[in-house]
Amino acid sequence: MHTDIIQRCWRTLLGVLAGFLGVRSESAREQDFKEGRALHFVVIGVLMAVVFVIFVIILVRWALSILGA
Amino acid sequence: MGTIRTIIFGLSLALSSHSAHAEWALNLSPGVTEVSRSVYDLHMTIFWICVAIGVVVFGVMFWSIFHHRKSRGAEAHHFHEHTLVEVAWTIVPLGILIAMAVPATATLVKMYDSSEADLDVQITGYQWKWRYTYLDQDLDFFSNLTTPQEQIGNQQAKGEHYLLEVDRHLVLPTDTKIRLLLTANDVIHSWWVPALAVKKDAVPGFINEAWTRIDEPGIYRGQCAELCGKDHGFMPIVVEAVPPEQFQQWLAEVKAEKLAEAAAAEKSWTLDELMTQGEQVYLRACAACHQPTGTGVPPAFPALKGSPIALGDVGTHIDIVLNGRPATAMQAFRDQLSASELAAVITYERNAWGNSTGEAVSPSQIAEMLAGNADTVGEGAQ
Amino acid sequence: MSTLDTAAPGAHEEHHGPATGIGRWLFTTNHKDIGTLYLWFSLLMFLIGGVMALLIRSELFQPGLQLVEPGFFNQLTTMHGLIMVFGAVMPAFVGLANWMVPLMIGAPDMALPRMNNWSFWILPFAFAILVSTLFMDGGAPNFGWTFYAPLSTTYAPPSVTYFIFAIHIMGASSIMGAINIIATILNLRAPGMTMMKLPLFVWTWLITAFLLIAVMPVLAGVVTMMLMDIHFGTSFFNAAGGGDPVLFQHVFWFFGHPEVYIMILPAFGIVSQIIPTFSRKKLFGYASMVYATASIAILSFLVWAHHMFTVGLPLVGELFFMFATMLIAVPTGVKVFNWVATMYRGSLTFETPMLFAIAFVVLFTIGGFSGLMLAIAPVDFQYHDTYFVVAHFHYVLVPGAIFSIMAGVYYWLPKWTGHALNESMGKFHFWCSFIGVNITFFPMHFLGLAGMPRRIPDYALQFADFNMVATVGAFIFGFSQLLFVWNVIHCIRSRETVSAQVWEGAHGLEWEVPSPAPYHTHTTPPRVE
C-alpha cells in the first residue's frame, strides 16, 4: 500500500518531468492516463514549476559566483 | 539545377550591388566599444546557430515534400513515435542553448559592472527632448531635434541626417569609462545609441545605470526607443566622442559661453530684438505642441493665439512657462531656456499671431523671478 | 437528456431547425450558430485592423509625414494592435472551438449554451466602445497596445476610460468562453472518448482555456489600477505619489506572456489536425505534444520579464528570465520536430489547408528563431523596441496564428457548409498571402538591426528602401485577403456537395457527421471504441 503510493507519485513525477522536456512515449502516456489522477498531475506540476524556479535561481547564483560578480 | 544557380547568382548580384549604397544596412553594427563588439559577436553566433537548425529542419521537411508526395506514389509509413529520436532532439537543442548561455551571461555581467567610472552623466528624458547633466562639472543642457518642420512636411529636400540631428551633441571623451544615469521627467523614455550597444529605459522617479567606454572618436546617432507620446519619433540622440584633451577644451568653452549668456540677460532688449529671438526659440521649444501658428492641438495642447493666458496677466504667463503645469504635457522651461530666451519667447507669445499686447518682458524681469522663487517653486515641483 | 433521445437520431435532428430571421442570431444558444457569429465578427475585426495596418504602412511608405499626424499615427498603432489581438485572433479561435469542440468530442452542444450566447454578444459592444474612441475629443488611446503607465494614465487622452471599460468587457467574454470550453471538454465527452483520445485541437484549447482563466483577471486588475490612478487619486504607477511605473509592466506582462501562448496554442492544435490528414499518417508523438503543451502553459508564467530586459532589472533578475526563456524554447522546438516527423514518409498532398499549415510551420519557426535571439538579454538590448521585435511578433502572429486560422477555416469550411472549396482560388489566395507576408515582414528584421525603433511615424533616410518594400508587401497581403472573403462566400453559395469525410485522410468524429453538419449533432452520443 505504502510503496504503491510512492510508486504512483514517482510515475507522476516522471510524467511531469517528461512534460517539461516535451517527450513522452505512447505506452507511458497510456499508463499515465489509466493510473494517474489529474489532480496529482496538477499538484506535482505546480510543485515542479516551483522547483524549476528554484533551480534557475541556483543556476543564476552559481553563474554569478563563477564570474565573480 | 541550372535555373536555380542562375537565380542564386542573380540574387547575390542584386545584394552586392546594393551594399555599395553607403547608408544601406542589413545587420547590427559592431559598434565602437568592447561591449558592443561582444554583443555583435553574440548576435552573429546565435544567428548562425538558427540558420544551421533551420537548414536541417526545413531540409528534412522539403525533402519529405518532394519525395513523399502522394502524386509520386508515396505510401504512408505508419510510425508515430520514437523515444530515442525524441530524446535526441530535446537534448541537442538543450546543449546548444547552454553553449549559448555561457558567453551571453559573461557579456551581461560585464554590461552591469558600472563601477569605477571616471565621468558621470545624468540623462533625463523629457517629452520630446533629452537633457544631459555632467555631474560634478556644473554643466547641464537640453538637446533638441533641429530637423526643420519643412523637411518633415516634405516642402524641403531632406538633409543627410534627417531626424537624427540635434542642436547640442552629448560630447563625451574617448577611452574613458563613463557612467550614464538615466531618469525621466514625465513618461518612460529609452536612451539608445546602437554603436555603443547601450539601451536603457529612462523611468520617471527612478534612476537606471549604464556605462560605456568609447574607443574611437566620431559622431554616433540614436533615437528614443520607448513610445513616449506624440513626438516619440522626433527625439534623437547624438553622441560626439572626442579625445580626452579635446573634451577638456570643450568643457572650458561651454562654461565660458554660459557666462556670456548670463551677461546678455543684463543688457536691455528692444521689443523687436525680443520678437526676433522669440520666434526662433518658439519654433525650437514650443511649436511641436502649440504649433508654429499658435493654434495648438486642443485639448491636449491648447492654443496660444487669443488665449486668456497670453493676453492676460503677465505674471501668470511667466509662471506657467517657468514652472509648467503638473500632470500635463506642459513642462517647466526654467532650466531648459536661458533668462533672455525665456523673456524673448514670452514676449513673442504675447505679440505674435494677432496677440498684440505690445508688452515686452525683459530678461532681467525673468532673472529676478528665477532667483526669487527658485527655492520655493523648485522644491514644490519635485 | 437521454430520455429525450427516443427517436432515431436522423429523424430527431430534422425538426429542430434554426429559428428564422434576426432572432436566430440574437437569441441562439446553438454552438454552430455562435461559432459562426464569432468567426464573422473576427473577420470583420481583421479587416478593420487590416485597414489600420495599411494606413500605418502607407504613412511609412516614404520618409516625411504625408498622410497622418504623429498623434493619430499612435492611435492607429494602438488600435491596430488591440483590434487584432482581442478582436481578430482570440474570437476566431473561440469561434473555431465553438464549432469544432462539440463535434470532435461527440457532444450535442456546449455545456453552457446561454452563457455562450452572452459571451459572444457582449463583444460587439466592447469593440463598438473601443472603436468609438477614435471619434472622441482628444482621440483614441494612443499609448500602444501595451499601454505602459504613466503614458496611459497621467498623460492619457480622456478616452482611456472607455478603453478600460472595453477591456473589462472583452475579459469577461473571454473568461466565460473559457469556462464553457473547459466545462464542455471535461463533462460532455461521448462514451469512450477518454482524455487520451482527444484530438490535439481539443487538448490545446483545454490548456488555453485554463491560461485564459488564469490571466484575464490579471489584465482586468491592471486596467482597474489604471482607472484608480486616473480617477480616484491612487498612485500605483505614479512615482510622484510613491508608485512605480515599472510595476505596471510587471503586471501587464504577467498577463501578456501567457496571452502570447493563448494566441498560439490553439494554432498548434489546428496544425496538428491538418498535417496528419494530408500526410495520411497519424501525428508523430501525440503524447509528447500534449505534455509539451501543458509544460509550455505552466512555464509561460515564469518568463514575463523577458519583455522588459531594458527596464533596469537587477542582474540576477535579468539572468533568471534569460535562462528560463531559453529553456522554454525546448518544448516549443519539440513541436516543430513532431510536425516535420509527421510529414516524413507520409503520403503528402497539398490542398489549401495543408499549404497554410506548412507555411505555418516554416514561418512560425522563423518567428521562433528571432524569439530565441531576443531571449539573449545582452543582445536584446540592441533588438528591444526596434523593428526586429515587430518582425518577430508579426511572424509569430500573422503567418503563425492568422495562417492557422485560415488553414482551419479552409479545412472545416466544407464540413460547415456542405460545399466544396474552390481549390484553385484557395491556392491563389495562399500564394498571394505567403508572398505578401514575407515581403512585408522579412525586411523588418533588417530595419530593426539597422536601428529603426518601432512605433515611429517618420524615420531617417537609411531606412527608406526597406520601408518601401514592406509597404508594397503589406498591400499585397492586405488585398489578397479579399480573395479569402470571396472564397468563404463562394463556398457557402456553391452547389458542389462533399462527402461526410471531405478529405481523404481525415479521421475523427467531426468527419463522421454528414456535411453540412446538421443543426443538431450527436444528440445521441456516438460510441468511441
Side-chain angles (χ1 to χ4, degrees), chain B residues 122-127 129-130 181-190 201-208 228 235, chain C residues 150 155 239:
Chain B
Q122 185 188 320
I123 301 173
T124 314
Y126 282 69
Q127 276 182 328
K129 65 198 88 174
W130 294 98
L181 300 164
L182 295 118
T183 185
N185 178 59
D186 32 51
V187 300
I188 301 176
H189 302 267
S190 188
D201 290 0
V203 183
F206 293 81
I207 292 180
N208 274 333
C228 55
M235 50 182 292
Chain C
Y155 294 84

Side-chain angles (χ1 to χ4, degrees), chain C residues 221 292 513:
Chain C
V513 299

Side-chain angles (χ1 to χ4, degrees), chain C residues 1 41 69 109 131 134 139 172 204 216 272 284 304 350 353 367 452 457:
Chain C
M1 282 282 274
F41 177 77
E69 291 296 311
D109 204 307
V131 172
L134 277 168
T204 53
M216 278 319 210
S272 304
F284 186 89
W304 75 88
F350 303 95
M452 180 167 162

Side-chain angles (χ1 to χ4, degrees), chain C residues 355-417:
Chain C
L355 289 176
F356 273 99
I358 292 174
F360 170 91
V361 176
V362 174
L363 301 181
F364 174 78
T365 306
I366 292 177
F369 286 147
S370 54
L372 191 59
M373 296 171 81
L374 284 160
I376 317 278
V379 201
D380 177 73
F381 291 157
Q382 292 284 50
Y383 306 145
H384 182 83
D385 265 333
T386 69
Y387 261 78
F388 192 80
V389 177
V390 178
H392 160 70
F393 69 73
H394 279 95
Y395 258 88
V396 178
L397 285 176
V398 183
I402 303 265
F403 269 27
S404 82
I405 292 165
M406 286 173 175
V409 169
Y410 278 127
Y411 184 52
W412 287 310
L413 200 56
K415 172 59 60 190
W416 301 337
T417 61

Side-chain angles (χ1 to χ4, degrees), chain A residues 15-16 18-26 28-30 32-34 41 45-46 49 52-57 59-61 63-64 69, chain C residues 195-197 203 282 285-293 295-296 298-299 302 315-317 319-321 323-324 327-328 330-331 334 338:
Chain A
V16 168
F20 275 23
L21 275 177
V23 175
R24 192 71 167 151
S25 74
E26 195 62 31
R29 183 185 59 83
E30 255 172 59
D32 285 348
F33 275 85
K34 236 175 248 154
F41 270 90
V46 171
F52 175 78
V53 170
I54 294 168
F55 165 73
V56 178
I57 290 175
L59 197 69
V60 169
R61 297 273 172 207
L64 286 180
Chain C
M195 290 301 276
M196 60 176 157
K197 282 189 189 140
W203 257 118
K282 260 176 81 178
Y286 169 92
S288 301
M289 290 289 243
V290 172
Y291 282 79
T293 311
S295 72
I296 287 175
I298 292 181
L299 297 180
L302 305 175
L315 180 58
V316 177
L319 286 172
F320 175 89
F321 286 107
F323 291 164
L327 289 174
I328 200 176
V330 174
V334 166
N338 281 331

